[in-house]
Amino acid sequence: MITISKRKFKQYFESKMYSLYAQPINEASNEQHLNVLASVLKDLIAKKWVDTKIDTEKEVYYFSIEFLLGRQLKSNLLNLGVENSIREGLKELGINLDDLIQSEVDPALGNGGLGRLAACFLDSMASVGMSGHGYGIRYKYGLFKQKFVNGCQVEVPDNWLTQGNYLWEVVRPNKAILVKFEGDVYLEEHDGNLKVIHKNYIPVMAMPYDIPIIGYRNNSVNTLRLWKSEIPRRDFGQTTANAKNYSGSYEEALNYKYYTEEISQVLYPNDSNYAGRLLRLKQEYFFVSAGIQDIYRKYKKHKLNIHELHKKVAIHINDTHPALCVPELMRILLDIEGLSWDEAWNITINTISYTNHTIMAEAMEKWPVEMMKKLLPRIYMIVEEINKRYLSYLNSKYSDQNKIRRMSIINNGNINMANLCIASSYSVNGVAKLHTTLLEKEVLKDFYDDTPYKFNNKTNGIAHRRWLMSANPELSGLITNLIGEEWKTDTFKLKELENYKNDNHVLDRLDEIKYNNKVLLSNYIMDKYDIDVDPNSIFDVQVKRLHAYKRQLLNLINIMTLYHKILDNPDMDIEPRTFIFGAKAAPGYYLAKCIIKVINSVADLINNDPRVRGKLKVVFIENYGVSLAELIIPAANVSEQISTTTKEASGTSNMKFMMNGAITMATLDGANVEIHELIGKENMFLFGLTAEEVLNYNKNGGYSSIDLYHTDLGLKQVVDDLINGFIPNLGKEGREVYDSLITYNDEYFVLRDAKDYERAQRELSELYKKKYDWNRMSLINIANSGVFSSDRTIKEYGRDIWFRGCEINEEFNKL
Ligand code: 26W
């Protein structure tokens, strides 16, 4: 917590404006105002940031190839507790703080759930006072911006660093690190010892850019360190003596510069499909090597004992993307520290922990041996040795060769990164109860049977400061009025809201707040798309990446069914609904793009049909991301969490919606299971196949979508609409979607669940008519959402994984 008076702030702001831009405030641009404000805030926190200590406690390093931060200004002001004085001060200077907040760039250095989770974790680590830092990549281009042209997704590069530098970053050239690619590795004898020599490698410089992560009203300022790849500068301190020799031709120099800079150029836009690209492998090793070397350097600088690294440092790998942390740490311990294999291994597996985020087979990373051997010769040698030893362990324990093959790290010319992670870490966790059970009982069964003690569940969470306090200030205010401030640091206190579940005055307020948030979203939709949505209609929202398993298509089929009903019976009494979508498709994911086109075409059809008379609206909001989520989620009445059961590892928007009082429409998948455990089926809407049923279909077959299609005429009608011209402006996309459902037997059971979904939607619609019942349900949802704060999640990671058996565990043992 820092304090600054309005008067002091104004002076500070003015002198900063002079020193940075030599301009009077009233002549400066919005952008300059923002830069000056950020600079003032960085000054205010500078001392705390520097004070972050290393030698007193264990430090956590969270490696993630994505961090989806969202805008920082508002949350920094909130966490520092200086919003009011700064707002007032700026006002007197003729500057509107809200304008500055809105004009900040939203760094999209992530795809979806995994990247946003990493950002929520950073916020929580700082806020619970944990010394936990992030390592990632400073992509020059973040996730593409999405535009619709004639209803189709078009990707526009996200050139977010237009000003050259990011508002909140501090570059530290003195801490740059050398990362080596390719070359030749061999052993040489030096003074009787064998030394690993790496020659002719391609040197790449990793330049660190630090972003402060400010804890909520405490003294913590942690660091997110993002690496940019560059050609080594002339004054680069680290030796490149054995590096590849560039003859100095102009062309060669250009190629080399390109080689180095390409690495941190752009975020891969896939969030479920592993593509096996060489550049991706370069990215993975680049940030892992820079991070591990950075940790090592800091460790040595503090003269700490290398034999105790695992007692002082916890390294967490967010999915398998940073899996090379394992061989990289081994490399340092073996080649630089000269430890024995056994000791290096012991330290490594006691330092590294791993989270799995998906059970989808196509998302599992497997790198070709030949690719890794050439790009990372020394790292490959170490992986090979790990595999050799692991196989001999497995062979000593099991005789089932199939099992051993499944568990092998290298198999069929590929390196299985999940297997490497499991074999080389002390903790493997899933991200929701069901997901962890599926890992243990199905996907990673062999490993669970072998080392059950490594496996544990850590149900995801969300930064409630961003997703409730900052995104929904009116609701926050109401909560504080009712139960006091404590919930802000202890979200379990939200439970006290249940005392008001029969207080009609409170329920009315809740209704009013939701309405106000809906008006804000309606205004945005009007401004952007000239679509007039009625804030009195039910706002039914599905926002997340577009993927067949998330089943935006199921939602659409229900919309089409409703549409037909209205056409058949124009006087039908239906609760007016606005269906809102937001979703980016991976650029190479053709079916997902077709689904976008189909939804947009249906939206056009319905929104422009006078017979519908405002009963139904469909809006697909372009370019869904963190900033839009902050506008959309507080305005939702209904949260669509309708993935094919077993496929969504956790989901996190389900938690954000719940915390903002939306009612969940869900399959019992991911963390929806836990929402259900908390509030019961009477406070949400459930439908669809159970996990057992899905697993059973997957194993034994027995599902035929075409049979269903022929027996259910209502369903047949909407499926046929995809190809019979009923939906205008739809070409081959309709056929593609149709084929996925009929020709390819509907892999995700959309048609199988359609009827039950329709039933649940009908019930929901009925309930909405009873205003108090609906708002009571909404209140109960908010009251029980406290467990989904990422503060809870991060304390569990601390207690059960990073600090287990450590002194500072005490602090995180209070749950
Ligand atoms: C190699 C390509 C690739 C890239 C990203 C494969 C997989 C991923 C991520 C693991 C996908 C992802 O974001 N998974 C989501 O993680 C969230 C946080 O745990 C969960 O809430 C979501 O259910 C899960 O889909």
Side-chain angles (χ1 to χ4, degrees):
M1 183 102 182
I2 55 170
T3 47
I4 181 164
S5 70
K6 189 173 66 180
R7 193 183 52 83
K8 259 202 127 161
F9 166 72
K10 280 164 60 184
Q11 284 173 355
Y12 210 149
F13 190 89
E14 190 158 37
S15 71
K16 214 21 156 214
M17 179 62 83
Y18 290 153
S19 65
L20 282 182
Y21 297 111
Q23 266 205 105
I25 291 171
N26 59 10
E27 282 178 23
S29 67
N30 205 44
E31 199 172 279
Q32 289 171 325
H33 289 154
L34 187 58
N35 285 341
V36 168
L37 178 57
S39 176
V40 168
L41 290 173
K42 273 189 284 184
D43 285 354
L44 291 177
I45 58 158
K47 179 146 174 25
K48 288 196 208 178
W49 199 6
V50 173
D51 278 353
T52 309
K53 296 178 285 297
I54 172 175
D55 34 12
T56 52
E57 59 180 53
K58 194 168 183 179
E59 299 221 316
V60 176
Y61 294 97
Y62 196 86
F63 281 72
S64 179
I65 205 161
E66 307 187 0
F67 285 93
L68 199 45
L69 289 181
R71 290 178 179 144
Q72 294 295 292
L73 176 56
K74 197 173 179 197
S75 73
N76 283 346
L77 291 172
L78 174 77
N79 288 5
L80 289 169
V82 293
E83 183 173 338
N84 287 342
S85 53
I86 285 182
R87 178 181 294 278
E88 290 301 306
L90 286 171
K91 197 166 160 197
E92 289 178 15
L93 296 170
I95 301 167
N96 181 325
L97 177 60
D98 292 321
D99 291 346
L100 296 189
I101 288 172
Q102 288 305 317
S103 66
E104 191 190 342
V105 64
D106 178 343
L109 309 186
N111 273 284
L114 165 125
R116 183 55 230 174
L117 186 77
C120 285
F121 280 5
L122 291 180
D123 180 282
S124 283
M125 287 193 284
S127 294
V128 306
M130 193 185 275
S131 186
H133 310 278
Y135 277 123
I137 298 176
R138 182 180 179 271
Y139 299 104
K140 182 161 183 208
Y141 295 92
L143 186 63
F144 65 85
K145 287 197 185 320
Q146 179 193 51
K147 289 223 152 50
F148 293 146
V149 175
N150 193 20
C152 297
Q153 168 173 299
V154 171
E155 299 95 23
V156 181
D158 170 47
N159 190 1
W160 69 292
L161 291 168
T162 41
Q163 289 188 55
N165 275 315
Y166 173 47
L167 208 55
W168 300 101
E169 73 191 3
V170 176
V171 55
R172 302 196 190 280
N174 55 324
K175 302 219 164 133
I177 277 183
L178 176 71
V179 179
K180 304 175 183 178
F181 291 95
E182 304 190 27
D184 316 305
V185 173
Y186 46 89
L187 295 173
E188 244 173 38
E189 209 192 291
H190 278 264
D191 310 326
N193 294 319
L194 282 180
K195 267 201 110 50
V196 176
I197 306 293
H198 191 173
K199 278 205 170 138
N200 297 324
Y201 59 82
I202 302 173
V204 175
M205 190 175 67
M207 182 61 77
Y209 286 74
D210 289 357
I211 300 169
I213 305 295
I214 301 169
Y216 180 71
R217 316 260 161 121
N218 62 12
N219 280 317
S220 303
V221 181
N222 291 337
T223 301
L224 169 58
R225 178 162 284 182
L226 301 179
W227 303 96
K228 173 174 184 271
S229 62
E230 292 180 11
I231 194 163
R233 298 178 183 180
R234 261 182 220 294
D235 60 351
F236 185 45
Q238 296 184 49
T239 169
T240 50
N242 282 331
K244 184 169 171 186
N245 204 359
Y246 286 94
S247 59
S249 83
Y250 180 67
E251 201 188 336
E252 215 178 50
L254 265 187
N255 284 340
Y256 176 38
K257 183 167 156 45
Y258 183 75
Y259 184 98
T260 59
E261 291 180 357
E262 188 193 24
I263 296 173
S264 61
Q265 201 71 0
V266 57
L267 167 79
Y268 272 92
N270 280 333
D271 83 327
S272 55
N273 217 328
Y274 162 70
R277 299 301 246 276
L278 176 62
L279 181 58
R280 171 76 170 198
L281 184 60
K282 284 183 195 168
Q283 292 185 335
E284 293 184 356
Y285 183 64
F286 167 73
F287 93 99
V288 157
S289 177
I292 298 281
Q293 291 187 63
D294 198 35
I295 293 169
Y296 175 66
R297 179 176 59 192
K298 194 165 156 191
Y299 197 78
K300 294 301 269 190
K301 196 176 126 206
H302 285 79
K303 301 201 163 36
L304 295 167
N305 178 353
I306 197 70
H307 305 284
E308 298 196 330
L309 182 81
H310 53 291
K311 295 185 184 160
K312 289 283 182 190
V313 170
I315 292 174
H316 198 84
I317 57 184
N318 198 21
D319 216 275
T320 58
H321 322 134
L324 294 173
C325 279
V326 171
E328 180 66 2
L329 182 56
M330 285 295 286
R331 183 183 71 80
I332 287 179
L333 296 175
L334 294 167
D335 299 357
I336 301 177
E337 281 294 324
L339 300 189
S340 69
W341 179 279
D342 287 343
E343 187 179 14
W345 181 247
N346 184 48
I347 293 171
T348 300
I349 68 162
N350 281 296
T351 303
I352 293 180
S353 47
Y354 154 66
T355 299
N356 171 291
H357 293 268
T358 180
I359 64 164
M360 308 272 291
E362 64 266 35
M364 294 299 177
E365 288 191 296
K366 293 184 181 75
W367 292 107
V369 163
E370 291 310 316
M371 192 189 277
M372 195 180 287
K373 219 184 220 171
K374 174 152 194 294
L375 185 70
L376 309 167
R378 178 61 184 144
I379 291 303
Y380 177 70
M381 284 166 71
I382 294 171
V383 171
E384 203 174 33
E385 183 65 22
I386 294 174
N387 184 51
K388 201 178 103 196
R389 289 170 184 249
Y390 191 55
L391 283 179
S392 88
Y393 159 77
L394 293 174
N395 274 305
S396 72
K397 204 165 163 185
Y398 307 108
S399 55
D400 178 352
Q401 287 305 308
N402 282 327
K403 184 189 180 90
I404 293 172
R405 204 165 307 122
R406 286 193 302 266
M407 296 176 78
S408 178
I409 295 165
I410 302 177
N411 188 18
N412 257 339
N414 284 311
I415 304 159
N416 183 320
M417 303 307 269
N419 292 10
L420 174 65
C421 287
I422 302 163
S424 323
S425 60
Y426 64 94
S427 169
V428 176
N429 76 280
V431 290
K433 281 183 192 167
L434 174 65
H435 171 59
T436 302
T437 307
L438 289 169
L439 291 180
E440 292 173 353
K441 302 279 145 63
E442 307 278 334
V443 190
L444 303 179
K445 184 177 185 313
D446 296 322
F447 294 95
Y448 177 68
D449 292 344
D450 185 54
T451 51
Y453 52 86
K454 284 191 183 181
F455 286 73
N456 64 97
N457 174 246
K458 293 289 162 281
T459 299
N460 283 165
I462 57 166
H464 66 279
R465 285 165 289 275
R466 175 177 294 265
W467 296 107
L468 178 51
M469 292 168 64
S470 161
N472 200 343
E474 233 192 319
L475 178 57
S476 277
L478 172 66
I479 295 171
T480 303
N481 283 342
L482 296 174
I483 64 172
E485 298 267 356
E486 265 181 79
W487 67 275
K488 294 179 177 172
T489 47
D490 176 6
T491 49
F492 287 95
K493 288 266 164 16
L494 286 171
K495 187 80 180 165
E496 289 169 22
L497 287 173
E498 278 194 350
N499 297 334
Y500 299 91
K501 68 180 182 199
N502 295 315
D503 183 330
N504 285 356
H505 179 70
V506 169
L507 298 180
D508 281 335
R509 265 301 285 152
L510 214 52
D511 196 69
E512 205 171 272
I513 291 168
K514 186 62 82 182
Y515 181 83
N516 294 341
N517 290 331
K518 287 162 78 176
V519 169
L520 293 177
L521 178 57
S522 309
N523 293 343
Y524 178 85
I525 292 171
M526 186 43 125
D527 278 0
K528 277 283 242 211
Y529 306 106
D530 207 20
I531 300 176
D532 186 11
V533 302
D534 176 5
N536 286 305
S537 64
I538 306 176
F539 276 24
D540 185 320
V541 184
Q542 186 172 19
V543 283
K544 47 184 83 253
R545 283 301 285 257
L546 213 136
H547 198 294
Y549 85 79
K550 295 181 188 278
R551 298 199 296 189
Q552 281 89 355
L553 202 48
L554 177 59
N555 191 341
L556 185 78
I557 283 176
N558 180 58
I559 295 171
M560 293 287 291
T561 307
L562 277 175
Y563 179 50
H564 277 292
K565 282 196 172 146
I566 294 172
L567 296 187
D568 292 348
N569 178 6
D571 297 321
M572 193 176 117
D573 173 31
I574 109 163
E575 207 46 47
R577 271 234 224 178
T578 303
F579 289 97
I580 295 168
F581 291 89
K584 288 181 183 176
Y589 189 175
Y590 184 59
L591 176 62
K593 290 182 142 180
C594 290
I595 293 173
I596 290 179
K597 168 73 178 175
V598 173
I599 297 175
N600 275 324
S601 305
V602 169
D604 265 355
L605 172 67
I606 293 180
N607 297 346
N608 296 309
D609 188 337
R611 294 169 297 180
V612 174
R613 284 175 299 155
K615 288 178 182 164
L616 221 56
K617 283 265 158 73
V618 183
V619 183
F620 202 139
I621 297 179
E622 277 168 318
N623 200 37
Y624 178 65
V626 176
S627 293
L628 273 170
E630 290 170 19
L631 175 68
I632 295 170
I633 292 172
N637 296 117
V638 181
S639 157
E640 296 284 348
Q641 308 298 338
I642 59 178
S643 54
T644 309
T645 310
T646 72
K647 298 289 180 193
E648 189 70 271
S650 161
T652 41
S653 76
N654 44 4
M655 303 168 185
K656 295 164 196 163
F657 280 108
M658 180 189 187
M659 214 176 250
N660 281 281
I663 307 299
T664 310
M665 166 63 69
T667 50
L668 275 176
D669 197 15
N672 303 344
V673 174
E674 283 142 276
I675 295 179
H676 174 240
E677 272 174 22
L678 286 162
I679 59 176
K681 65 178 189 319
E682 61 280 14
N683 288 302
M684 65 195 298
F685 290 89
L686 291 173
F687 74 97
L689 294 172
T690 62
E692 291 72 42
E693 287 168 323
V694 170
L695 292 175
N696 191 36
Y697 272 136
N698 287 343
K699 280 179 198 153
N700 307 318
Y703 174 57
S704 162
S705 64
I706 201 159
D707 288 353
L708 243 177
Y709 162 89
H710 284 301
T711 46
D712 185 331
L713 295 182
L715 212 49
K716 181 168 186 310
Q717 184 180 34
V718 293
V719 173
D720 286 344
D721 286 346
L722 292 167
I723 50 167
N724 63 13
F726 181 78
I727 306 167
N729 290 321
L730 197 59
K732 53 191 190 324
E733 297 91 356
R735 168 62 67 175
E736 185 76 17
V737 173
Y738 176 95
D739 282 343
S740 79
L741 294 173
I742 304 302
T743 316
Y744 301 111
N745 200 29
D746 184 16
E747 188 181 352
Y748 295 104
F749 306 108
V750 173
L751 300 185
R752 179 68 179 76
D753 277 346
K755 234 201 157 77
D756 202 24
Y757 182 58
E758 197 189 319
R759 187 257 325 143
Q761 283 286 16
R762 217 169 26 241
E763 289 176 15
L764 179 147
S765 189
E766 282 307 303
L767 184 83
Y768 194 78
K769 293 181 180 152
K770 302 178 206 145
K771 192 174 139 197
Y772 287 103
D773 289 349
W774 181 277
N775 286 311
R776 183 173 308 109
M777 206 189 258
S778 169
L779 182 100
I780 290 171
N781 270 270
I782 301 166
N784 287 281
S785 67
V787 66
F788 295 122
S789 165
S790 45
D791 290 1
R792 186 270 311 152
T793 314
I794 225 63
K795 286 178 188 169
E796 288 180 1
Y797 273 88
R799 186 192 62 190
D800 304 340
I801 305 178
W802 304 324
F803 308 135
R804 89 176 159 209
C806 288
E807 277 164 49
I808 62 164
N809 200 21
E810 301 277 295
E811 216 176 306
F812 298 99
N813 226 346
K814 288 181 220 139
L815 281 175

